[in-house]
Amino acid sequence: MTQQPYDSSDRSGYERPASGWRCGDEASGNACPLGPSRLGVCPGGTDCQPINSGGRWLCTRSAARGGPCERGPHADGICGRAPHQCAPQPTHRTRRKRLVLAAIAGTLGLLCLAIQASWRWEFHAPGPLTDSHAQLLSASTVTNRCAACHPAGNQTASQWAASLLAISPTIPSGQSASANSSQTQLCLECHRESLSPSAAQPHSVPPTELTRLTQAAARRFPTADRGAAIKTNHAGEIACAVCHQEHHGSKHDLAFVTNQQCSNCHQTSFDDFERHHPEFRSWPRRSPTSPIAFDHASHLGKHFPAAKNASFSCADCHRPSDASEVVLVTSYHQCASCHEEAIRTGTSEGLRLLQLPMLDTDAMQDIGIDDFAWPEHAQGSFDGPLEPLMFLLLLADLNAAEVCREWGPGADFYDVDPDDEDAVQSAAKVAEAIRQLGLELGENPAAVLEQRLSTAFGREIPEPILGRLTTGLSPDLIRMAFHAWFESVNNAEESSTSDQDVSPQISGWRVNANSLRFWYRPGGHADPVLRGWIELLLLPVENELVADAQRAMLTSPLVAQCTTCHVLSPSDTAVWQTPTTDVRKSFTRFAHRPHLILPQLRDCESCHQPHTPGDVSQTANASAATSSASDFRPIVKQQCAACHTRHAAGNHCLQCHHYHVNRMTPIE
Amino acid sequence: MTRILPFRTRRLRHLSMTILATIGIVLVVRNQRDQLSNAAFSTGYALLAIILFLIAFHWRKKLAFLPLGNASTWMQLHIYLAILTAPLFGLHIQWRFPNGWFESLLASLFLLTFASGVWGLYLTRTYPRRLAQCSDQYLFERIPSIRYQLQQATRERILQGAERFGSTTLADFYHRHLAAYIEQPRGVVFCLLPNTRMRRTVTQELASLNRYLSEQERDLANELFRAIRKKDELDYQHALQWTLKSWLVVHLMLSYALLTCIGWHVVMAHAFHGGWR
């Protein structure tokens, strides 16, 4: 290897790689030793600059341009040759600088264009939405798709920059209100119908309930060292985007979270189903959405063999649906063959609206109550119960309410002491109130029931309940009965619907002239009046006397005919039937259909084994402890863990658990 | 006196540190994701910090008068931190190439910048050795001038030969086949993939002319052979040095375009990320 030989005649030997410009004559080997200026202008340094020496003008042309010329300058000192100026060339450094600046300017220009152009949202969108969201936002009415989910979609670029610097952006008054909302709030605006009010809380569970569950878990797993570490807002709510990551394509699973992410908050880690998941203690539970308390064990072991002499087959009532995973329950007709007769017999006493008590008119006269109008054959010793419905109606009577409150529900005139002046006075007040009630009912029974029950309950009675309770209730019938009782005292003319004329099997409102009773005879299962009466007793009220009366009346034999099978809870709208589709989400779910594919699981009893007679006491205890206890033996975890391993059927948390619980309806 | 470790040992040590840092980052990000934290922000800001440091190497060269450590140390940090950005970038995008326009542009710029860096690393490790193997060394800035001198000298010798030998065989050959080769610089394709095909072609053509030449003309032809060889050396060195300089231009252009897009990406990410804002 040899170094490039040094050429002493090369006047441009000193390279200036850091300079911005180079002489344009450099390539031809005639580079000007001065070089171009910083701005890339040739100074013409090699040109002749004539000098005056002793009165003569001398040429000073540089040797790089051929040295002094023969002709020399003109007499006036002006060079006779045309000036030579090169075209300076940018050095590599200058070219690099220009290209880098061009790259920055080009990128900035593209971004500015992208901010202002009509396609700016498409350009900035980080990726396609999932199918469901994309469909909702593809409607022609949606003008700004981004703003549907992102508050920043209604802001300007400067406001975005301000939010980066944590400067509170000012939302112009003309902009959408969503600009002031958070993204999570916008999510919940659309999903309000499908999620519970506590949707953003962990598991959509209200904070108080979550605290209770956490404390229970801490008691069960005292050595647990895990705790919630997720970033929440001041209310302890988790942003939707923590778990639901959008813009990952149309088929992206928005609900996917890993087992590790699930166990992040939990008191103990559930990294692996077989080894870490706690043993099922009471699974399966009775469905919280099912209002029917069906005792499988007693039907299997006792009722079916004894009464029907038949085998108890699961498939008689439960059939897998083709359309969904839900196992359908058959209707009441399946039960009617055994239960209908018992229901009719058990409800034959009926619901009494009016019942005239026996009054001791002598005792009343003794304290100065003369000529008290009362049917003659209802006079004698004090006797007769204050019927529940009548008691509730009398609570709205100003004269009798105080006495009723004193006597309480379940009072009986038999308890009135004829020698006690105050007691007789009270009995007379109640009797008068009963007569007044009867007269009012004879005018407009529906209005009287509504007005009096609303007054007594201190709240409005729902229209459906009143409608059911007054089904078939005729004011004429009540009026005629009263007329017969109070004016044709000894020749009571039975109405066409009196007990004597009507078959005891036919349901309806009736008058019993002998016992001076106006009552309703239920017509067996699902009788509307009886249903209305029970729903009235389930209405939540604040009045303690009425609430006590409701509780007492719910235990009556008449109501027990229904509540033996129907598990009802206080509510404005009692749930009587099992929903055909269970739309509510509980924490744990189970899909039967994938399991029924396996031959060994097609027999229901391979998993669901009813308690045997020996387990009866255990079952009773469990039932007493919790209304959700099942009448089946608990399934042990190992039954599931045999297949549900990581590499077989899977052991992902979300296979069996919902995150958002109590989902009511799917989003429209 | 500080003992300088062998290059192989240093490379092994630095690579080990980079792998350990990668494992650490993967564990931290995994832990963040398990805790349902938004790891995209932590990986994103880590990437931004590293990229700023990598670009600072450009400014470190401009600010040579400041005591900011020697360029060799900066270069080593530049290389291994740049390697670290690859797994960090993968974690940031969750190993899934984005499918939005802007994010695709951003990811493409990153990948191109990274690729240009790898290309540059290869060039700076191999081209200087290839340049050192050449018989003569030329400064890049002087090559046009030397090429011009070579062209002038060759043309002058051809004219002198034609006058002296009374034959225009070589002069005709020069004008038909050699003038363009000697006088013109080579194109970008040759700069990127330097080869001897052109030199071999003109050399073979000149050799095939040999039987038509007189003794004196053969001496002149030998001078033309030397001129062709020198021109080829000039072209070869120009190509290697041009590539060495040009990859940096590409790398810098991509780096600054990437940095500009990252700035906008940060603004967008903060404005549009989910949560309670």
Side-chain angles (χ1 to χ4, degrees):
Chain A
M1 187 182 81
T2 60
Q3 291 292 330
Q4 181 183 359
Y6 176 69
D7 183 0
S8 59
S9 65
D10 184 359
R11 304 295 299 273
S12 67
Y14 177 62
E15 304 297 338
R16 301 178 182 86
S19 298
W21 297 88
R22 57 200 290 186
C23 180
D25 292 332
E26 189 178 298
S28 60
N30 293 319
C32 166
L34 295 178
S37 70
R38 289 183 63 187
L39 297 174
V41 177
C42 175
T46 54
D47 277 349
C48 170
Q49 302 288 336
I51 57 171
N52 194 320
S53 173
R56 290 188 61 194
W57 289 96
L58 300 177
C59 176
T60 60
R61 193 167 68 154
S62 164
R65 297 283 173 267
C69 61
E70 293 176 0
R71 287 184 299 176
H74 294 297
D76 53 0
I78 295 172
C79 178
R81 304 179 72 89
H84 173 82
Q85 280 203 313
C86 72
Q89 298 295 312
T91 60
H92 178 78
R93 185 188 180 89
T94 301
R95 286 203 181 100
R96 188 175 72 188
K97 190 174 176 181
R98 284 178 178 176
L99 286 168
V100 169
L101 287 174
I104 295 172
T107 311
L108 280 174
L110 175 68
L111 292 177
C112 289
L113 184 67
I115 294 168
Q116 299 298 329
S118 59
W119 40 267
R120 59 184 176 277
W121 299 122
E122 285 76 11
F123 178 77
H124 284 109
L129 296 167
T130 50
D131 282 340
S132 12
H133 284 155
Q135 284 170 19
L136 286 171
L137 297 177
S138 63
S140 57
T141 52
V142 180
T143 52
N144 185 352
R145 297 178 67 200
C146 297
C149 300
H150 298 281
N154 281 323
Q155 296 175 353
T156 61
S158 59
Q159 287 170 331
W160 298 342
S163 71
L164 173 66
L165 301 172
I167 302 167
S168 180
T170 308
I171 311 296
S173 57
Q175 286 187 2
S176 162
S178 67
N180 285 319
S181 306
S182 73
Q183 182 176 315
T184 298
Q185 285 168 332
L186 290 177
C187 294
L188 297 178
E189 263 183 40
C190 284
H191 290 271
R192 193 189 300 119
E193 296 297 321
S194 58
L195 294 170
S196 72
S198 310
Q201 292 287 346
H203 282 292
S204 302
V205 172
T208 50
E209 179 67 5
L210 186 70
T211 306
R212 190 186 66 74
L213 290 169
T214 305
Q215 287 168 350
R219 283 194 296 275
R220 192 176 171 192
F221 306 105
T223 57
D225 56 355
R226 297 274 185 121
I230 297 177
K231 194 176 177 184
T232 60
N233 69 352
H234 64 280
E237 295 173 318
I238 302 169
C240 302
V242 169
C243 299
H244 305 297
Q245 301 278 322
E246 251 297 0
H247 293 290
H248 285 188
S250 59
K251 303 299 175 197
H252 176 67
D253 183 3
L254 270 180
F256 178 79
V257 286
T258 63
N259 288 358
Q260 285 72 27
Q261 286 172 328
C262 285
S263 60
N264 178 50
C265 296
H266 286 253
Q267 292 293 314
T268 188
S269 65
F270 299 138
D271 297 335
D272 182 77
F273 173 66
E274 186 178 5
R275 285 178 296 165
H276 300 133
H277 193 285
E279 183 57 71
F280 311 147
R281 292 194 301 183
S282 54
W283 181 261
R285 292 182 180 150
R286 189 190 300 282
S287 168
T289 60
S290 172
I292 307 298
F294 183 79
D295 187 345
H296 290 81
S298 62
H299 281 80
L300 171 66
K302 195 167 82 177
H303 304 314
F304 265 67
K308 301 184 80 171
N309 196 21
S311 62
F312 182 75
S313 169
C314 306
D316 287 346
C317 296
H318 299 281
R319 294 189 186 91
S321 161
D322 291 335
S324 71
E325 303 287 353
V326 179
V327 175
L328 297 174
V329 181
T330 54
S331 68
Y332 170 73
H333 297 295
Q334 199 81 7
C335 316
S337 59
C338 292
H339 288 274
E340 183 63 23
E341 188 58 35
I343 290 171
R344 284 187 177 278
T345 308
T347 57
S348 60
E349 281 296 306
L351 176 65
R352 295 165 189 179
L353 178 59
L354 280 172
Q355 168 77 63
L356 299 191
M358 295 285 286
L359 297 181
D360 187 344
T361 49
D362 292 340
M364 292 166 74
Q365 280 176 355
D366 289 346
I367 62 167
I369 303 173
D370 298 326
D371 300 329
F372 190 82
W374 201 249
E376 191 171 337
H377 64 282
Q379 294 178 14
S381 299
F382 283 116
D383 196 9
L386 200 55
E387 294 295 341
L389 179 54
M390 197 168 71
F391 173 80
L392 293 174
L393 294 170
L394 290 178
L395 283 175
D397 189 295
L398 290 175
N399 296 319
E402 193 179 341
V403 179
C404 288
R405 275 195 289 273
E406 187 185 335
W407 286 7
D412 198 306
F413 277 77
Y414 180 78
D415 297 327
V416 177
D417 182 359
D419 298 329
D420 183 343
E421 187 177 337
D422 291 340
V424 175
Q425 282 281 7
S426 298
K429 280 184 185 175
V430 174
E432 177 56 26
I434 292 171
R435 198 174 69 86
Q436 185 61 32
L437 174 65
L439 291 172
E440 288 180 19
L441 286 171
E443 295 298 321
N444 187 347
V448 171
L449 281 170
E450 181 184 6
Q451 186 268 323
R452 283 187 174 247
L453 288 173
S454 300
T455 307
F457 279 54
R459 55 161 291 174
E460 193 178 341
I461 309 299
E463 184 63 35
I465 294 178
L466 274 173
R468 279 193 273 275
L469 194 58
T470 56
T471 304
L473 183 57
S474 162
D476 294 339
L477 188 60
I478 302 172
R479 204 166 43 243
M480 286 168 62
F482 252 64
H483 178 76
W485 294 344
F486 283 90
E487 293 181 20
S488 306
V489 179
N490 291 319
N491 297 310
E493 190 180 327
E494 299 296 326
S495 72
S496 60
T497 52
S498 66
D499 286 355
Q500 286 74 13
D501 294 337
V502 180
S503 164
Q505 296 301 319
I506 296 176
S507 64
W509 291 98
R510 296 156 177 253
V511 177
N512 189 317
N514 293 331
S515 55
L516 302 180
R517 178 189 302 158
F518 185 77
W519 66 295
Y520 178 79
R521 163 85 192 214
H525 183 261
D527 183 85
V529 176
L530 191 53
R531 183 176 166 185
W533 169 235
I534 293 172
E535 286 172 351
L536 185 71
L537 298 181
L538 289 169
L539 277 182
V541 290
E542 291 180 1
N543 187 320
E544 284 187 17
L545 177 69
V546 176
D548 288 344
Q550 284 178 308
R551 277 192 288 275
M553 293 164 192
L554 278 171
T555 58
S556 69
L558 174 68
V559 176
Q561 289 299 316
C562 303
T563 55
T564 303
C565 296
H566 291 277
V567 181
L568 303 167
S569 51
S571 161
D572 274 17
T573 53
V575 180
W576 292 84
Q577 294 176 317
T578 303
T580 51
T581 304
D582 184 1
V583 292
R584 295 205 303 168
K585 271 188 174 178
S586 59
F587 177 60
T588 305
R589 62 177 172 181
F590 182 82
H592 283 84
R593 283 185 67 84
H595 293 84
L596 296 178
I597 294 170
L598 299 173
Q600 67 270 28
L601 296 183
R602 281 185 192 148
D603 176 14
C604 302
E605 287 194 46
S606 60
C607 295
H608 300 290
Q609 295 169 356
H611 286 292
T612 56
D615 299 330
V616 167
S617 59
Q618 205 176 349
T619 314
N621 289 340
S623 299
T626 167
S627 61
S628 62
S630 168
D631 48 358
F632 291 95
R633 287 178 182 169
I635 292 174
V636 292
K637 188 180 76 172
Q638 191 51 41
Q639 279 179 268
C640 304
C643 294
H644 282 277
T645 61
R646 190 175 187 179
H647 301 293
N651 63 355
H652 196 256
C653 300
L654 295 183
Q655 279 182 291
C656 301
H657 294 297
H658 286 125
Y659 176 78
H660 290 288
V661 297
N662 198 27
R663 183 176 182 155
M664 299 306 290
T665 53
I667 187 170
E668 290 298 320
Chain B
M1 193 178 78
T2 309
R3 190 171 65 90
I4 299 173
L5 292 171
F7 174 73
R8 193 180 289 262
T9 310
R10 274 185 293 149
R11 184 166 64 183
L12 192 65
R13 190 178 65 179
H14 295 161
L15 265 179
S16 306
M17 286 167 66
T18 308
I19 291 168
L20 282 175
T22 303
I23 293 169
I25 288 169
V26 168
L27 291 175
V28 168
V29 169
R30 193 175 160 183
N31 187 47
Q32 280 187 328
R33 295 221 166 103
D34 285 348
Q35 291 184 354
L36 288 166
S37 297
N38 197 342
F41 276 96
S42 53
T43 52
Y45 274 113
L47 260 179
L48 176 59
I50 293 177
I51 289 171
L52 283 174
F53 181 81
L54 297 178
I55 289 180
F57 187 33
H58 180 215
W59 293 96
R60 153 70 184 79
K61 287 197 262 185
K62 290 179 182 298
L63 305 172
F65 55 89
L66 290 177
L68 297 172
N70 59 47
S72 168
T73 307
W74 274 81
M75 187 67 209
Q76 290 299 307
L77 283 169
H78 188 87
I79 291 169
Y80 291 101
L81 281 175
I83 292 172
L84 190 61
T85 59
L88 200 52
F89 178 71
L91 289 167
H92 183 63
I93 63 170
Q94 298 180 36
W95 306 104
R96 171 192 64 85
F97 195 83
N99 40 17
W101 284 102
F102 177 64
E103 293 200 347
S104 295
L105 171 71
L106 193 59
S108 303
L109 279 173
F110 175 85
L111 293 175
L112 286 171
T113 309
F114 188 85
S116 69
V118 173
W119 182 46
L121 186 63
Y122 167 77
L123 294 179
T124 51
R125 290 286 182 271
T126 56
Y127 275 30
R129 203 175 302 152
R130 290 167 69 175
L131 282 168
Q133 286 168 353
C134 297
S135 54
D136 290 329
Q137 306 291 305
Y138 300 105
L139 288 178
F140 180 72
E141 288 76 11
R142 289 191 185 176
I143 288 175
S145 168
I146 297 169
R147 187 193 301 125
Y148 180 77
Q149 288 172 8
L150 176 67
Q151 171 213 333
Q152 292 297 315
T154 310
R155 182 184 289 267
E156 194 177 326
R157 287 294 299 134
I158 289 291
L159 289 174
Q160 284 175 356
E163 280 180 18
R164 197 191 308 164
F165 309 132
S167 165
T168 60
T169 311
L170 281 174
D172 289 344
F173 175 80
Y174 179 82
H175 284 295
R176 277 206 310 274
H177 302 292
L178 217 50
Y181 175 71
I182 295 282
E183 293 170 12
Q184 299 295 322
R186 306 295 295 272
V188 175
V189 176
F190 177 83
C191 290
L192 292 173
L193 298 168
N195 58 72
T196 57
R197 197 177 348 168
M198 191 71 171
R199 188 195 73 182
R200 277 188 279 117
T201 305
V202 292
T203 306
Q204 281 168 7
E205 285 176 354
L206 184 58
S208 63
L209 198 68
N210 203 32
R211 55 184 170 158
Y212 304 109
L213 302 177
S214 63
E215 273 307 312
Q216 294 90 341
E217 283 178 316
R218 283 181 184 154
D219 290 340
L220 184 56
N222 285 336
E223 285 183 38
L224 282 180
F225 277 123
R226 283 194 289 278
I228 290 169
R229 195 160 47 246
K230 182 164 185 178
K231 173 65 167 55
D232 185 64
E233 265 190 27
L234 283 174
D235 288 344
Y236 181 66
Q237 292 203 30
H238 179 266
L240 296 187
Q241 293 189 51
W242 180 87
T243 309
L244 272 173
K245 288 174 182 290
S246 297
W247 83 264
L248 187 59
V249 177
V250 172
H251 190 60
L252 283 173
M253 286 171 68
L254 289 168
S255 300
Y256 280 102
L258 173 66
L259 190 62
T260 310
C261 285
I262 286 176
W264 186 239
H265 175 65
V266 171
V267 172
M268 294 292 292
H270 274 275
F272 282 83
H273 86 87
W276 295 105
R277 292 180 60 174

